[in-house]
Amino acid sequence: MTPTRPSRAAGAVVVAAALLALAPAAAASALPVAPVASVGATAGGEDPNLDQTIGELAIVHGERVLESGHLDMGPKYDDGQWRFLIHDDVAKADANAESVWRYPDETVLHVRDEGKLVVPDDPAYAFVGAAAGSEVWVAPQTQDPDVVWIGWNTQDPTVMQTVDRGVTLSLRSVEGPGIMTTYLQSGSFGAPQVLWDSRITEAQPVWVDVNTHTHANWVFTAPGVYLVELTAEADLIDGSHVSDTQRLRFAVGTDTAPAAAFAAAWTGDDGEAAPAGDEGSAAAALAESPPTSPLVPVLVAAIALVAAGIVAAAIVIAVRGARAKRAVLTRRGADAENPADAVDEGVRA
């Protein structure tokens, strides 16, 4: 059966949790466990911070460093033009300020050392690209008041009025000193659901329903400046297609100056990223492009285990990306021929 895009009426219910905890005590905090939460503009979740409604907020200019508090990325119309922007909800903590939208090239997301966590000794987390017991920088899926809380939304009023069912959000490329992965996890026993991996050279699309508010785990294996290229695109109700590609600027580590992230220049190809391909192509790309941050496990057996986990995660990403692409391209025909076959999977196709 050909996958179809989820129905607009289905809404958006997405799981939320962080990495599994380690039992032994350590100098740094272990990756924490968090409860499952439902998210959406109107559907109450276990975490009330995920319950939000966005009005017609202003778009503002000016450099801004976000290092704690809540923010979302997402599509919005800027003088009638479809743009991929950052919803700065941090300002709302100030009684005299309101949430606003900001331009990605004028915003730095600073993941400070308060976000350093320990990788569990569990093969399920081999995809992170760092050895068990080592430290990584994490902007977690559940809110930590000391760490920036990064998510995405499709809740701008005009976006909800004009988009046909949902938005495709795709990671196209990442430049930085280490590995970046983004994933969701359902509760303390759910397997990590990898959405994006900076080692994959193809576009990695994720389906996002209209009126969705989601947060995920963002993991970085090394401090420094990262430029993360993302595309938000959608079919509109009037039959047209819109798309915008922007680069998010991350300063990872307390000692990484936000000014360096503002000054960073993209060194890669400015052309269109390659589309998601066959289900095995991501694994092949990974084999040709090894991680920029090496794994240093103690035992040879651990090396083999980590390598196997990375390849498995790459294949999962490729399969999901291909399904998302097919869902978008075949939506109209599939809906007409198989209206009962719509897949209700919330954040992904």
Side-chain angles (χ1 to χ4, degrees), residues 32-241:
V33 175
V36 175
S38 298
V39 301
T42 57
E46 294 181 18
D47 184 349
N49 294 317
L50 292 169
D51 232 2
Q52 74 171 6
T53 301
I54 296 179
E56 289 289 355
L57 304 179
I59 304 174
V60 299
H61 278 287
E63 290 188 350
R64 169 77 157 158
V65 178
L66 300 173
E67 54 189 21
S68 65
H70 174 242
L71 66 94
D72 303 317
M73 63 192 80
K76 180 176 173 60
Y77 287 94
D78 182 7
D79 289 333
Q81 181 180 3
W82 174 272
R83 295 292 300 272
F84 183 48
L85 303 176
I86 293 174
H87 170 225
D88 175 5
D89 200 38
V90 176
K92 196 169 63 175
D94 182 345
N96 298 317
E98 295 183 355
S99 297
V100 296
W101 290 91
R102 296 185 180 275
Y103 296 93
D105 61 346
E106 298 176 358
T107 307
V108 167
L109 312 183
H110 194 187
V111 183
R112 298 177 299 180
D113 290 350
E114 286 85 346
K116 285 205 293 187
L117 298 174
V118 175
V119 178
D121 186 10
D122 185 333
Y125 297 95
F127 69 86
V128 169
S134 62
E135 291 183 332
V136 291
W137 284 257
V138 181
Q141 185 169 336
T142 51
Q143 188 168 23
D144 179 336
D146 296 324
V147 184
V148 64
W149 194 30
I150 306 170
W152 52 83
N153 78 71
T154 51
Q155 295 180 303
D156 175 75
T158 307
V159 167
M160 291 196 294
Q161 292 168 7
T162 59
V163 167
D164 186 4
R165 302 186 181 183
V167 174
T168 301
L169 188 60
S170 302
L171 175 69
R172 305 185 79 86
S173 187
V174 177
E175 292 187 356
I179 300 165
M180 186 202 84
T181 51
T182 305
Y183 74 96
L184 298 170
Q185 188 169 3
S186 174
S188 40
F189 298 104
Q193 176 192 354
V194 183
L195 303 179
W196 295 324
D197 185 328
S198 65
R199 293 161 291 186
I200 305 302
T201 58
E202 297 172 330
Q204 300 167 57
V206 172
W207 173 261
V208 186
D209 276 316
V210 163
N211 199 18
T212 291
H213 176 209
T214 304
H215 284 259
N217 300 292
W218 299 72
V219 183
F220 302 86
T221 61
V225 172
Y226 293 74
L227 299 180
V228 179
E229 188 174 76
L230 290 162
T231 296
E233 58 185 322
D235 292 331
L236 303 185
I237 294 173
D238 65 10
S240 61
H241 184 82

Side-chain angles (χ1 to χ4, degrees), residues 295-321:
L295 301 176
V296 193
V298 177
L299 302 176
V300 174
I303 297 175
L305 189 61
V306 168
I310 291 173
V311 173
I315 294 173
V316 168
I317 293 171
V319 171
R320 187 190 62 257

